[in-house]
Amino acid sequence: MKGLVKGLGVFLLAFGAHFSWADSESELETVPYVDVYQYVGKWYEIARLPQIFQPACTAVTADYGLNDDGTLSVFNFCRILHPKYGFPISVQGSATPIDDTNSKLAVSFFDGKTNGNYWVLELDPTYQWSLVGDPDRSSLYLLSRTPQLDEAIIDELLDLAVVKHGYNIDHIIMTKQLPL
């Protein structure tokens, strides 16, 4: 059982080395600024690109908190296959802003053994939804403060992921969430 949890433990926001669909020459554009005080709290995953460390995850959430040293605590949770009855897995980590905009963060899990990038590409002015990716465009997450998000917003953000940010979303996964 412990081996299963470890094997499945690295998921959501632990970005590894994957194939990139975008031109490596083009710079990925992030939002100009993220207020970490507004960003902390619970986020629900609405959609994601497939990730090997996130097998059959449903009911995916990410909880961010502010640490005394200015880093963010990260607690990711999901249930395998079924959003209510599926086997629960979770992982804890930290995120460190890498510049003054707070829109680019270095994420670390398992005491620094798994590292990745968390770049905020699009952000609702009231911090109700967020589009997050990494510079090689191998991961993409659409997050919301609620388990469901208006279809028009989803469509607009996924269109921006393709047109503005250069992502291939042919294999996007719409995350199964339970309503509040």
Side-chain angles (χ1 to χ4, degrees):
M1 181 68 73
K2 200 172 194 178
L4 173 66
V5 172
K6 271 196 169 182
L8 299 176
V10 180
F11 70 102
L12 182 61
L13 308 178
F15 305 109
H18 304 286
F19 293 101
S20 176
W21 294 101
D23 176 5
S24 61
E25 300 288 323
S26 62
E27 179 72 23
L28 186 60
E29 183 181 336
T30 61
V31 297
Y33 182 74
V34 174
D35 180 343
V36 293
Y37 293 102
Q38 289 187 48
Y39 203 84
V40 296
K42 179 174 274 195
W43 291 88
Y44 295 85
E45 180 187 273
I46 302 301
R48 70 175 177 273
L49 283 179
Q51 301 296 315
I52 195 164
F53 46 78
Q54 208 174 354
C57 275
T58 63
V60 180
T61 59
D63 285 288
Y64 305 113
L66 192 57
N67 295 324
D68 291 338
D69 63 1
T71 63
L72 297 173
S73 62
V74 179
F75 179 78
N76 294 329
F77 176 86
C78 87
R79 289 188 177 275
I80 303 300
L81 296 175
H82 193 280
K84 186 172 184 179
Y85 303 110
F87 183 79
I89 61 172
S90 64
V91 64
Q92 291 184 343
S94 64
T96 304
I98 61 173
D99 65 17
D100 291 341
T101 69
N102 298 322
S103 64
K104 298 177 182 178
L105 297 102
V107 182
S108 173
F109 293 92
F110 299 109
D111 295 325
K113 293 183 177 105
T114 303
N115 298 300
N117 294 296
Y118 183 100
W119 288 21
V120 181
L121 310 177
E122 302 291 333
L123 182 61
D124 175 56
T126 62
Y127 290 68
Q128 296 306 299
W129 49 256
S130 178
L131 187 67
V132 179
D134 67 338
D136 69 2
R137 294 170 176 86
S138 62
S139 64
L140 182 71
Y141 298 93
L142 174 51
L143 307 174
S144 173
R145 293 294 188 175
T146 59
Q148 281 77 38
L149 189 59
D150 183 88
E151 287 294 324
I153 295 172
I154 294 171
D155 292 344
E156 178 183 349
L157 290 171
L158 293 179
D159 185 58
L160 284 171
V162 173
V163 175
K164 180 179 177 183
H165 299 292
Y167 275 87
N168 178 332
I169 61 164
D170 289 348
H171 302 288
I172 199 80
I173 296 168
M174 300 308 293
T175 307
K176 292 178 188 174
Q177 293 280 2
L178 293 173
L180 285 178

